[in-house]
């Protein structure tokens, strides 16, 4: 078993920061020690297999991205990252755990789909991974499957209020799934947009000849997000199910979540990096077909409507609890499927590699504290999805998932392929960010260091998750 000592860094957890050395023994953290600690009078550095000098750097728990879609069959094609390429890219960006989604389309058997996804991921992931399960048409067999899956460590289920005929569950189906979740303790994750409303506006816009990517955003107004968020909360209140709203982009949806939390409901929310930085006017409305790169749902919102300040505020004050990527990458030829019809552009942005850096900019600009950054990218995802203790913390006994982050480093998400995702562009091309992921350790193995990937496909293990650690 390899022993590693990370020396001289500032160890940051959500509860504070301290100058300390981190001792790793095999796959776990053995101790957090005062800098320069000795063992029986001998310098510890002499008795370990490897020493990583983190002087002047932050030592943080590995990033946890609880919302990715590797190889997702969607929009008539597949998300372009495989479990292998996507987890390698995640590692480059300081993420050591993902939670991906098993997809069950209408008519498919949830447990068969679960087995398929287990097969896809087995032996291919470079970092640890868990699964949520998407349910579309919630049938009696789906409700039974929810109990089985919770027993397997799949303790959260995503439902869609949009994508009629593809993924949408109607309110009655949502109700029954929530009743089951209230009973077995699972968390319901909700894609909260009013699908029928959106589908009608899409048809109206297309009939008027409005086919450019920007109309994707115009067809999915904040009112359709607020309404669905409110409806989901009412269903959760009635059924007493824990509810987690995914990819929140509208300030009005944030207000719904905040109100529900103030009323004592187990309602939670995430946002994603694009909603914090990008806009409908600039990116989605870029000339020609360029906006297709930024087509995702919920959509980018109008800067003029001032959603971003509210999202940052909510991240600071815990009205929103974490930041995921909703990583759903498509190459340019896949986005081309929607030339002449924005509704056919595959929905999704690939960004699993960029989340840790992009959120660090909130620290640089003073919008969040260093500790809150760690909480948003690692600690809360671990707690929310039943992994905390093993993941999401630097403490003795935790998995040695560690990132050495250089606040004085710089990351250029340059033009061209400077990233490692299986995409021929990045929506973040041209973004210059302060900070740099220097070293990434997954369960005691150094998988990224000195600008090199040192890990391997198959190193990642499936995580059987507990129920959310936010529930009593
Ligand atoms: N939104 C996306 O943009 N892509 C995947 C699924 C989703 O809900
Ligand atoms: Zn969604
Ligand atoms: Zn998603």
């Amino acid at each position: 078993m390899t022993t590693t000592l990370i020396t001289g860094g500032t160890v940051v957890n959500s509860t504070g920061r301290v100058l300390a050395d981190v001792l790793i023994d095999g796959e776990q953290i053995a101790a957090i020690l005062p800098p320069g600690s000795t063992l029986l009078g001998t310098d510890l550095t002499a008795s370990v297999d490897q020493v990583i000098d983190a002087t002047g750097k932050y030592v943080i728990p590995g990033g946890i991205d609880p919302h990715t879609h590797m190889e997702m069959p969607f929009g008539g094609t597949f998300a372009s990252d495989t479990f292998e390429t996507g987890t390698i890219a995640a590692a480059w960006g300081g993420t050591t755990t993902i939670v991906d989604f098993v997809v069950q389309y209408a008519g498919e058997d949830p447990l068969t789909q679960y087995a398929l996804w287990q097969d896809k991921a087995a032996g291919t992931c470079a970092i640890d991974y868990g699964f949520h399960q998407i349910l579309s048409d919630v049938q009696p067999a789906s409700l039974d499957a929810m109990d089985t899956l919770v027993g397997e460590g799949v303790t959260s289920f995503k439902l869609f209020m949009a994508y009629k005929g593809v993924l949408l569950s109607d309110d009655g189906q949502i109700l029954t799934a929530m009743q089951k979740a209230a009973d077995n303790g699972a968390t319901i994750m909700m894609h909260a947009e009013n699908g029928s409303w959106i589908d009608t506006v899409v048809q109206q816009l297309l009939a008027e000849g409005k086919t450019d990517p920007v109309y994707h955003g115009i067809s999915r107004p904040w009112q359709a997000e607020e309404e669905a968020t409110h409806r989901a909360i009412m269903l959760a209140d009635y059924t007493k199910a824990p509810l987690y709203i995914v990819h929140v982009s509208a300030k009005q949806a944030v207000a719904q979540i905040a109100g529900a939390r103030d009323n004592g409901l187990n309602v939670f929310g995430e946002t994603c990096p694009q909603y914090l930085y990008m806009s409908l006017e600039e990116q989605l409305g870029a000339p020609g077909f360029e906006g297709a790169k930024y087509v995702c749902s919920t959509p980018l919102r109008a800067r003029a409507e001032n959603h971003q300040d509210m999202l940052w505020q909510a991240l600071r004050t815990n009205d929103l609890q974490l930041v995921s990527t909703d990583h759903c990458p498509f190459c340019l030829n896949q986005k081309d499927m929607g030339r002449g019809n924005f509704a056919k552009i595959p929905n999704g942005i690939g960004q699993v590699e960029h989340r840790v850096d992009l959120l660090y900019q909130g620290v640089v600009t003073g919008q969040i504290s260093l500790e809150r950054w760690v909480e948003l990218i690692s600690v809360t995802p671990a707690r929310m999805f039943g992994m905390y203790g093993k993941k999401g913390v630097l403490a003795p006994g935790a998995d040695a998932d560690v990132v050495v982050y250089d606040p004085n480093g710089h990351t250029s998400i340059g033009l061209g392929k400077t990233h490692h995702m299986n995409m021929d562009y990045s929506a973040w091309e041209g973004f210059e960010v302060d900070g740099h992921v220097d070293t990434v350790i997954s369960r005691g193995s150094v998988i990224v260091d000195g600008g090199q990937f040192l890990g391997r496909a198959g190193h990642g293990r499936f995580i059987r998750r507990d129920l959310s650690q936010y529930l009593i």
Side-chain angles (χ1 to χ4, degrees):
M1 284 218 292
T2 309
T3 49
T4 305
L5 189 68
I6 306 173
T7 60
T10 300
V11 173
V12 189
N13 281 305
S14 59
T15 46
R17 65 188 91 170
V18 62
L19 265 181
D21 294 347
V22 178
L23 179 63
I24 297 170
D25 188 5
E27 297 199 344
Q28 293 189 331
I29 294 174
I32 310 289
L33 301 159
S37 290
T38 56
L39 179 68
L40 302 173
T42 313
D43 189 348
L44 253 190
T45 54
S47 50
V48 294
D49 299 317
Q50 55 184 347
V51 176
I52 296 170
D53 181 4
T55 306
K57 299 176 187 174
Y58 299 131
V59 182
I60 63 171
I64 299 174
D65 189 342
H67 187 159
T68 65
H69 298 284
M70 308 303 174
E71 309 182 27
M72 182 187 185
F74 191 52
T77 182
F78 285 82
S80 57
D81 262 319
T82 62
F83 279 95
E84 178 171 341
T85 63
T87 54
I88 290 173
W92 274 101
T95 288
T96 52
T97 301
I98 60 164
V99 190
D100 207 273
F101 290 83
V102 176
V103 185
Q104 181 252 325
Y105 285 110
E108 293 173 343
D109 171 52
L111 294 180
T112 307
Q113 295 306 106
Y114 173 65
L116 274 175
W117 255 256
Q118 280 287 9
D119 285 350
K120 281 196 218 198
T124 68
C125 292
I127 56 172
D128 290 350
Y129 61 98
F131 285 127
H132 316 282
Q133 175 112 13
I134 289 172
L135 297 173
S136 51
D137 60 336
V138 181
Q139 303 297 333
S142 321
L143 301 176
D144 292 342
M146 286 173 75
D147 283 336
T148 309
L149 288 162
V150 167
E152 293 282 314
V154 177
T155 54
S156 35
F157 297 87
K158 185 179 179 191
L159 302 174
F160 287 77
M161 300 170 103
Y163 303 119
K164 208 175 180 172
V166 183
L167 287 165
L168 182 141
S169 302
D170 67 30
D171 291 349
Q173 292 172 328
I174 292 170
L175 181 87
T176 55
M178 283 189 173
Q179 286 169 331
K180 174 57 77 177
D183 181 50
N184 69 15
T187 296
I188 295 293
M189 306 171 77
M190 191 62 75
H191 179 123
E193 290 186 293
N194 183 319
S196 172
W197 173 342
I198 290 165
D199 291 346
T200 302
V201 179
V202 166
Q203 292 316 317
Q204 289 171 350
L205 289 168
L206 290 175
E208 290 167 25
K210 294 174 172 165
T211 61
D212 287 346
V214 73
Y215 292 105
H216 168 80
I218 291 169
S219 71
R220 310 178 88 95
W222 61 260
Q223 291 91 339
E225 184 182 348
E226 182 184 10
E227 184 282 325
T229 304
H230 176 75
R231 189 160 27 106
I233 290 169
M234 290 299 103
L235 286 159
D237 191 6
Y238 176 73
T239 58
K240 306 293 173 238
L243 174 66
Y244 175 96
I245 308 287
V246 296
H247 47 54
V248 174
S249 61
K251 64 183 176 187
Q252 296 83 357
V254 174
Q256 290 291 334
I257 294 166
R261 292 172 61 76
D262 289 348
N263 286 334
L265 302 187
N266 282 320
V267 172
F268 308 92
E270 65 170 28
T271 190
C272 309
Q274 70 270 32
Y275 308 122
L276 295 167
Y277 296 104
M278 296 178 174
S279 72
L280 180 138
E281 297 94 327
E282 290 144 298
Q283 279 81 15
L284 202 52
F289 194 63
E290 180 73 8
K293 293 177 177 173
Y294 310 96
V295 165
C296 61
S297 297
T298 59
L300 296 181
R301 298 284 170 210
R303 198 174 289 284
E305 291 169 359
N306 195 28
H307 298 276
Q308 289 178 351
D309 287 348
M310 189 60 86
L311 291 174
W312 277 110
Q313 180 182 313
L315 288 175
R316 194 163 57 246
T317 61
N318 209 36
D319 283 341
L320 292 177
Q321 287 71 47
L322 65 87
V323 177
S324 74
T325 57
D326 195 7
H327 177 74
C328 195
F330 296 103
C331 291
L332 290 173
N333 66 341
Q334 295 176 291
K335 291 282 184 182
D336 270 350
M337 292 163 67
R339 271 189 198 273
N341 181 347
F342 68 85
K344 294 195 170 151
I345 301 170
N347 286 203
I349 291 184
Q351 51 187 351
V352 73
E353 188 167 345
H354 303 317
R355 183 186 64 126
V356 170
D357 284 326
L358 289 169
L359 256 290
Y360 182 69
Q361 303 320 294
V363 179
V364 173
T365 55
Q367 278 148 310
I368 51 172
S369 69
L370 190 61
E371 287 79 5
R372 183 65 177 159
W373 170 57
V374 171
E375 197 164 36
L376 292 168
I377 59 168
S378 180
V379 182
T380 302
R383 286 213 174 103
M384 190 71 68
F385 296 109
M387 297 177 278
Y388 187 77
K390 204 170 150 62
K391 306 289 186 192
V393 63
L394 297 181
D399 282 357
D401 292 351
V402 189
V403 171
V404 178
Y405 197 81
D406 183 359
N408 298 311
H410 186 83
T411 305
S412 294
I413 309 174
L415 298 176
K417 199 167 175 341
T418 57
H419 61 84
H420 304 86
M421 301 174 288
N422 187 33
M423 301 169 69
D424 45 8
Y425 67 98
S426 161
W428 295 94
E429 265 171 27
F431 274 70
E432 298 286 334
V433 298
D434 289 332
H436 188 262
V437 173
D438 277 8
T439 306
V440 181
I441 300 174
S442 166
R443 276 185 290 105
S445 299
V446 176
I447 59 171
V448 174
D449 192 41
Q452 278 190 293
F453 178 69
L454 305 170
R456 64 174 175 85
H459 165 80
R461 284 195 201 134
F462 174 66
I463 303 168
R464 299 170 80 93
R465 295 181 293 113
D466 295 330
L467 299 179
S468 169
Q469 289 153 317
Y470 278 107
L471 305 176
I472 42 171

